[in-house]
Amino acid sequence: MSDKVLDVHERPQAGKWLVLSLQHMFAMFGATILVPTLVGLSPAIALLTSGIATLVFVLVTRFQVPAYLGSSFAFIAPIIAATNSGGIGSAMIGSLFVALVYSLVALVIWKTGYRWIMKILPPVVVGPVIMVIGLGVAPVAVQMASMIEVDGVQTYSLLHFSAALVTLLTSIICLMFFRGVISLMPVLIGIVVGYLYSWQIGIINFAPIRKADFIQIPDFLIPGVDYEFVITPTLLAIMVPIAIVTISEHIGHQLVLGRVVERDFIKNPGLNRSLLGDGLGTFISGLLGGPPKTTYGENIGVMAITKVYSVYVIIGAAVFAILFSFMGKVMAAITTIPTAVLGGVSILLFGIIASSGLRMLVDHKVDFGEQRNLVIASIILVIGVGGASIHISETFQVGGMALAAIVGVVLNLVLPGRKNETMMDETE
């Protein structure tokens, strides 16, 4: 306890509070605005809803969990698929139902305890599904990095690919050769350097910045106003099963954050409260037109380095995010980021997501000498990356990552030889 600079309920002095909160905002900034940029949503709304969702999370967890909620990478492919199926409003409706799943699971955990969910989501299921998240969108990153549209045709561009490589190299250098805060912001720094390089080679259109107002209302997407509230079986099949992955991610983050802060957040304030806070944040985000939310590892890393665990610092970061979302010039500058720059940083991010799934398997010592584990992981990977799908009717189909997650859970429950292996084993 003695090495803590500020504990969870301690408030920093005004000047330090400002700096520490800004640091947390910039730590999550790059990844939070990247997700909406990739799926066609408003970066300003993503930033606004991340701040609101974080404040809601803090309230629901009774100011006991210093976690920041940002845009979830797990929903990149599902949002694109839902948008292609029924428009961007369809993806927002899907987000609302994902949030309802969070709330239902939180309710069941409140009534029955948390151990049952640990048993149906062991590392042998969650690890490969996380790998599918990264590998499934890998072709998107490569295409963004190297292709441009000329007269309606996708064409390879070495000039744009060079911007992607500069961005990627900068991010790698920040991760590998720096310590402290710089190593926690490789995405943001990579984008900034890539943007400056793109400016020098003349592939940026600055017109949107000149046209933008200094203060500008974000582009909200309100159900019943900006799109019809239509629920289809296909939409639910695309979005809802991904909750399996993000709930697992939530549990993992709570365990890691607990080790950093030296508290057991699974028991107090309880997994039911933190999961409900996450779900409500995602629900509000969907109502306003933002992507689904998840707790951010980047901000956990900031706390691990600074030893500042104050929930008030997280609240400050959320307030700054809300304020930044109304700065029209800043948001317009984000829209001018070349696709190649985003593609360069996506190559690293999507690869890290896939590798984190592999790391989960290694950390939990999943034995692939056992045929059961080999079968589960293999089928999840091929179904997810291969894009397999089941078409029940013209209005209902489930495939890709969603189908992989469902099949993984079912196989884990029905195949013989299941051991009592959960993500909690390392703490018990």
Side-chain angles (χ1 to χ4, degrees):
M1 298 291 290
S2 60
D3 63 342
K4 293 182 180 179
V5 177
L6 286 173
D7 205 354
V8 174
H9 296 110
E10 294 179 328
R11 294 187 187 182
Q13 296 177 347
K16 184 181 290 185
W17 193 347
L18 177 73
V19 173
L20 291 172
S21 292
L22 280 172
Q23 179 174 259
H24 270 283
M25 193 206 71
F26 282 116
M28 66 82 195
F29 190 89
T32 291
I33 65 170
L34 179 60
V35 173
T37 304
L38 294 177
V39 302
L41 292 172
S42 164
I45 282 292
L47 203 58
L48 172 66
T49 53
S50 77
I52 295 174
T54 300
L55 294 179
V56 170
F57 179 86
V58 170
L59 286 171
V60 173
T61 56
R62 298 177 175 176
F63 292 77
Q64 296 185 52
V65 184
Y68 194 94
L69 273 62
S71 305
S72 173
F73 277 81
F75 286 94
I76 292 175
I79 288 176
I80 293 173
T83 301
N84 292 337
S85 173
I88 193 65
S90 182
M92 295 300 96
I93 296 169
S95 297
L96 300 181
F97 277 89
V98 168
L100 290 178
V101 171
Y102 277 45
S103 301
L104 289 174
V105 173
L107 177 62
V108 175
I109 292 174
W110 177 47
K111 292 295 185 181
T112 65
Y114 58 80
R115 294 187 181 278
W116 63 271
I117 195 170
M118 304 295 187
K119 292 180 180 179
I120 67 173
L121 295 173
V124 71
V125 172
V126 177
V129 171
I130 292 175
M131 293 173 70
V132 167
I133 293 174
L135 297 176
V137 291
V140 176
V142 174
Q143 182 173 351
M144 290 173 62
S146 58
M147 307 293 284
I148 60 172
E149 188 172 311
V150 179
D151 297 328
V153 179
Q154 291 291 321
T155 306
Y156 176 84
S157 170
L158 180 60
L159 185 65
H160 286 73
F161 191 43
S162 70
L165 292 177
V166 168
T167 304
L168 176 60
L169 182 60
T170 302
S171 299
I172 292 173
I173 291 173
C174 290
L175 274 174
M176 297 297 299
F177 300 104
F178 287 88
R179 294 292 180 266
V181 177
I182 291 180
S183 68
L184 295 172
M185 298 191 294
V187 172
L188 183 60
I189 296 174
I191 289 175
V192 169
V193 173
Y195 190 88
L196 293 175
Y197 174 79
S198 299
W199 174 35
Q200 292 300 311
I201 62 176
I203 62 172
I204 297 179
N205 176 17
F206 291 103
I209 301 177
R210 291 191 292 269
K211 295 178 181 178
D213 296 325
F214 285 97
I215 303 298
Q216 192 165 303
I217 304 298
D219 297 323
F220 292 95
L221 286 174
I222 308 298
V225 177
D226 297 298
Y227 58 88
E228 294 184 16
F229 195 89
V230 179
I231 304 169
T232 65
T234 298
L235 164 64
L236 299 181
I238 290 172
M239 296 287 290
V240 172
I242 308 305
I244 296 172
V245 182
T246 50
I247 288 173
S248 305
E249 181 182 41
H250 176 94
I251 295 170
H253 281 168
Q254 292 301 96
L255 292 172
V256 173
L257 180 60
R259 286 197 294 270
V260 170
V261 181
E262 299 178 5
R263 293 171 186 254
D264 189 346
F265 295 126
I266 299 294
K267 294 181 180 179
N268 185 32
L271 182 59
N272 59 308
R273 280 190 169 274
S274 64
L275 196 56
L276 178 62
D278 204 335
L280 288 177
T282 292
F283 190 83
I284 293 172
S285 180
L287 283 178
L288 298 179
K293 304 304 180 193
T294 186
T295 49
Y296 258 27
E298 290 91 333
N299 297 89
I300 296 175
V302 170
M303 284 183 272
I305 287 179
T306 62
K307 308 298 183 184
V308 173
Y309 310 140
S310 173
V311 72
Y312 297 102
V313 172
I314 297 297
I315 292 172
V319 171
F320 276 124
I322 293 171
L323 293 176
F324 264 63
S325 69
F326 289 91
M327 296 182 181
K329 294 290 186 184
V330 174
M331 292 297 106
I334 291 172
T335 65
T336 66
I337 299 174
T339 302
V341 170
L342 297 175
V345 77
S346 296
I347 290 173
L348 178 62
L349 281 174
F350 296 166
I352 288 177
I353 292 170
S355 298
S356 67
L358 180 61
R359 179 178 177 178
M360 176 177 285
L361 296 173
V362 173
D363 289 347
H364 289 271
K365 298 181 174 61
V366 176
D367 183 7
F368 283 103
E370 294 186 15
Q371 297 297 335
R372 182 180 188 279
N373 294 337
L374 189 63
V375 167
I376 293 174
S378 299
I379 292 177
I380 289 174
L381 288 171
V382 172
I383 288 177
V385 177
S389 62
I390 296 178
H391 297 252
I392 306 299
S393 67
E394 291 185 1
T395 59
F396 180 77
Q397 55 181 297
V398 57
M401 189 190 310
L403 181 60
I406 294 171
V407 169
V409 169
V410 172
L411 286 176
N412 176 62
L413 294 176
V414 302
L415 290 181
R418 181 159 64 101
K419 296 180 180 179
N420 187 27
E421 178 193 24
T422 74
M423 290 197 295
M424 289 291 292
D425 288 345
E426 62 185 82
T427 66
E428 297 180 334

